[in-house]
Amino acid sequence: MHPLELIIALMLVTGALAFIASRLRVPYPIFLVIGGAALSLFPNLPRVALEPDIVFLLFLPPLLYFAGLQTSWRDFKANARPIALLAIGCVLFTMLGVAAVAVFVFEMPWAPALVLGAVVSPPDAVAATAIMSRLRIPRRIITILEGESLVNDATALVAYKFAIAAVVTGAFSLPAAIGQFFILALGGIALGLVVGVVVAWVRPRLKDESVESVVSLLTPYIAYLPAEHLGVSGVLAAVTAGIYLGRQMPRITQSRTRLKLTGAWEVLVFLLNALVFILIGLQLHDVIERLRVAPHLDRAQLIWGALIISIAAVVVRMLWVYPATYLPRRIFSYIARREPPPAPGPVFMIAWTGMRGIVSLAAALAIPTVTAAGLAFPHRDLIIFITFAVILFTLIVQGLSLPFILRRLHLGADVIGRHEELRARYEAAHAALVRIETLVALGEALPDMADRLAEDFRWQARELGRRLSKNHGTSSLQSAIPNPQSAMTQDSALIAPHLSIPPDPTLSDLDGDPIPTCATLESLQFEALDAQKRMILKLRDDSEIGDEVLRKIMVELDHEESRLHRPL
């Protein structure tokens, strides 16, 4: 089969399997891995080899960049301490724990055992995002898990690099490893930030939407490739560029461009995710073939040993998460005052959710075949087999059990996020009302026409204010909820710093009176939409709401604007 035909066939298979997964209400990454594994066992089918370089170059940058785009910087910064404990501490602890179990179960030397530990230590950003996005999980848990999966690859890949070097050359230096980690991390973050700033400057100056779309799709590679060539973390460069541009996106793009790019990115990310997971499953045939080159191990020992290490990878994470959650609060009182101890349910959810994915398998396949002495890399095929087993175990056992665990834990809805959304919608409606009334007072809008539109926003403000008061108590919110009936008494410098359609004093009607700038209902609606967007951005910049609330409301406003004809 021609490679292009094979790619098209894979896309058709992934689409079919994803459709079946949606019907069965199973997270599609899990179903695709199982489906790919089943397909790989059929005889006479083309064998698909997963090349590590292709994974690290083609799949990883856009998926990590898009995850960064969706990350709320406010929430990421607020949870930086638990994210760092998981992304650095838990990765290294898992590496050592899995290595110790491998030494005990398979009598593996410590150096290759540490390679195995580094390979399976990081939970996968792709798996976490693809599975959790379809479940109703409280926002803080998602923020911590996604933040961990964005950063932990850098820790694991540095540890992996030094573990490989220890096997290949027989030399290892802990101070060098620590110094290399900080150079890789800080260099990747700095380069990603530079790329983000440059792209944020360039994109508003592009007049062609197609060119801007191409720049958007190439941005993860613009960040990743130079970082890799400079010897710093391409993973962190792509993530940093994504986080920075995700925060700047409402300011540097037009609504129509945002809508087009949102659809394009969603299709691309789904396709890449689907291909990643089916490719994982399709490696089963090659993994089984590698078992035949290990005659010193019988099949039962391989299966039981791989199962023990898979369970160890899950247990070791739990052994880290619980002390890392509660001990710092007992030792340092200021942490306990700033961050009250969480309930056991969310802690268990974070401890249990550690699916491995494409990064682990690509790292395992990238292990050199020979050492510097020309000898075969010890236990390479065994490491690949165990890595596949850990990926399969965590995706199926942990991934499939998440909905059941969520129901049993009764974690509840994201109350804080819902309150922020209600608050943002209320403030946006009030901002639109202020803009409309300001235009009327300045003679830039016809009173009768403006009153009809303003009445809609008055109704929205009353309804949203009622819901806010009902959820949180009227007395506690009276100072926070402005009165829309007294909109003209509010400070409108922010909401209407200038009219987006400036008045032209040379225009007049037949009677010599000035023609209102907002002479049509659509032009007035554009002004109201502009006021709402400005208010949503201000609330986000003031950390009153998170980026996910901003994106949700901004998409709705963009769709509403797309239905209007912009006045000339």
Side-chain angles (χ1 to χ4, degrees):
M1 182 179 289
H2 191 276
L4 183 59
E5 295 176 335
L6 184 60
I7 292 173
I8 295 174
L10 281 176
M11 290 181 180
L12 292 174
V13 170
T14 56
L17 291 176
F19 173 76
I20 297 172
S22 66
R23 289 291 185 179
L24 298 176
R25 297 184 178 180
V26 176
Y28 76 85
I30 301 170
F31 198 80
L32 286 171
V33 169
I34 297 173
L39 287 173
S40 71
L41 298 178
F42 280 89
N44 302 323
L45 284 180
R47 298 304 171 196
V48 181
L50 185 62
E51 297 293 337
D53 292 341
I54 297 298
V55 172
F56 287 126
L57 177 61
L58 180 63
F59 290 99
L60 207 56
L63 292 175
L64 290 173
Y65 172 79
F66 183 76
L69 282 177
Q70 304 301 306
T71 299
S72 172
W73 172 244
R74 182 200 66 169
D75 296 341
F76 185 91
K77 185 171 61 174
N79 294 283
R81 188 185 62 82
I83 288 173
L85 285 172
L86 289 170
I88 300 175
C90 188
V91 165
L92 298 177
F93 185 71
T94 302
M95 174 184 172
L96 294 174
V98 169
V101 175
V103 170
F104 175 78
V105 173
F106 291 106
E107 298 181 354
M108 190 182 296
W110 268 101
L114 287 172
V115 173
L116 171 63
V119 166
V120 301
S121 61
D124 192 60
V126 178
T129 303
I131 292 176
M132 291 189 302
S133 62
R134 284 154 176 80
L135 301 174
R136 296 175 60 87
I137 300 177
R139 186 67 221 171
R140 185 165 189 259
I141 296 178
I142 293 178
T143 298
I144 293 174
L145 291 173
E146 290 185 348
E148 173 203 3
S149 62
L150 288 175
V151 180
N152 61 13
D153 287 341
T155 305
L157 291 176
V158 171
Y160 166 83
K161 175 181 176 181
F162 278 91
I164 291 288
V167 177
V168 172
T169 66
F172 174 76
S173 171
L174 181 61
I178 295 174
Q180 184 74 8
F181 171 76
F182 283 105
I183 292 173
L184 284 171
L186 296 177
I189 292 171
L191 186 58
L193 188 59
V194 170
V195 170
V197 171
V198 171
V199 172
W201 182 86
V202 169
R203 285 184 57 174
R205 290 160 175 79
L206 298 174
K207 304 302 180 183
D208 191 318
E209 290 183 0
S210 298
V211 176
E212 185 175 355
S213 299
V214 170
V215 171
S216 175
L217 295 175
L218 290 179
T219 298
Y221 301 103
I222 296 172
Y224 183 87
L225 289 174
E228 290 296 310
H229 284 297
L230 291 173
V232 297
S233 175
V235 168
L236 288 179
V239 169
T240 303
I243 292 175
Y244 179 83
L245 288 170
R247 191 165 180 84
Q248 300 300 321
M249 202 63 66
R251 291 191 173 93
I252 65 175
T253 56
Q254 299 296 322
S255 60
R256 186 170 62 178
T257 306
R258 281 197 298 270
L259 291 175
K260 289 183 177 180
L261 284 175
T262 298
W265 269 106
E266 287 178 352
V267 172
L268 176 63
V269 167
F270 170 78
L271 187 59
L272 291 177
N273 273 331
L275 287 173
V276 159
F277 288 108
I278 198 170
L279 284 172
I280 290 175
L282 288 172
Q283 304 311 300
L284 179 61
H285 179 271
D286 292 337
V287 170
I288 292 176
E289 288 295 320
R290 286 188 173 93
L291 296 181
R292 298 176 182 175
V293 301
H296 60 286
L297 293 173
D298 60 49
R299 185 159 299 183
Q301 183 182 2
L302 282 170
I303 294 174
W304 280 108
L307 179 62
I308 291 172
I309 291 178
S310 299
I311 295 173
V314 175
V315 172
V316 168
R317 179 178 175 86
M318 290 188 169
L319 292 177
W320 172 268
V321 168
Y322 279 94
T325 300
Y326 294 109
L327 278 182
R329 291 175 169 85
R330 289 184 175 273
I331 297 173
F332 304 103
S333 58
Y334 72 92
I335 295 179
R337 289 194 301 268
R338 189 178 60 188
E339 304 175 28
V347 177
F348 179 82
M349 193 70 192
I350 291 173
W352 179 253
T353 309
M355 290 80 68
R356 272 62 171 183
I358 193 67
V359 173
S360 292
L361 187 56
L365 294 174
I367 294 174
T369 56
V370 295
T371 66
L375 302 175
F377 194 100
H379 301 283
R380 181 179 186 274
D381 295 321
L382 180 59
I383 291 172
I384 294 174
F385 170 71
I386 294 173
T387 301
F388 186 88
V390 172
I391 293 171
L392 207 61
F393 180 87
T394 55
L395 280 176
I396 294 175
V397 175
Q398 293 182 300
L400 286 179
S401 64
L402 282 180
F404 171 77
I405 291 174
L406 279 172
R407 289 193 297 268
R408 297 289 295 177
L409 292 179
H410 303 291
L411 295 180
D414 185 10
V415 177
I416 296 176
R418 183 164 34 181
H419 170 68
E420 288 184 358
E421 183 180 342
L422 286 174
R423 166 79 185 279
R425 292 183 184 279
Y426 181 93
E427 297 283 4
H430 181 245
L433 186 60
V434 168
R435 176 72 66 88
I436 293 169
E437 294 185 354
T438 301
L439 289 168
V440 172
L442 295 175
E444 302 298 337
L446 299 173
D448 292 341
M449 179 182 65
D451 189 62
R452 291 195 301 270
L453 184 60
E455 185 57 35
D456 292 338
F457 289 106
R458 290 191 188 98
W459 180 86
Q460 291 180 33
R462 285 195 298 268
E463 178 63 20
L464 290 166
R466 182 187 64 81
R467 292 170 64 183
L468 281 168
S469 299
K470 179 180 179 181
N471 290 340
H472 296 275
T474 305
S475 59
S476 63
L477 283 171
Q478 280 181 341
S479 60
I481 301 178
N483 179 10
Q485 299 298 332
S486 59
M488 290 303 296
T489 66
Q490 307 294 324
D491 180 12
S492 60
L494 168 73
I495 301 171
H498 59 80
L499 300 181
S500 62
I501 306 175
D504 187 347
T506 64
L507 297 177
S508 61
D509 59 17
L510 295 178
D511 297 327
D513 296 326
I515 296 178
T517 303
C518 296
T520 66
L521 180 60
E522 285 191 337
S523 62
L524 192 59
Q525 288 174 317
F526 273 111
E527 292 289 345
L529 286 170
D530 179 69
Q532 292 178 84
K533 291 180 180 180
R534 288 177 182 273
M535 177 54 72
I536 297 299
L537 276 172
K538 179 182 184 301
L539 291 173
R540 195 281 308 271
D541 292 343
D542 292 344
S543 297
E544 297 291 331
I545 63 174
D547 288 88
E548 68 282 351
V549 173
L550 176 138
R551 284 191 296 270
K552 181 178 181 179
I553 300 177
M554 196 68 74
V555 166
E556 296 175 6
L557 297 176
D558 287 343
H559 278 292
E560 188 175 343
E561 183 175 332
S562 69
R563 291 190 290 267
L564 302 175
H565 297 286
R566 181 170 290 278
L568 299 177

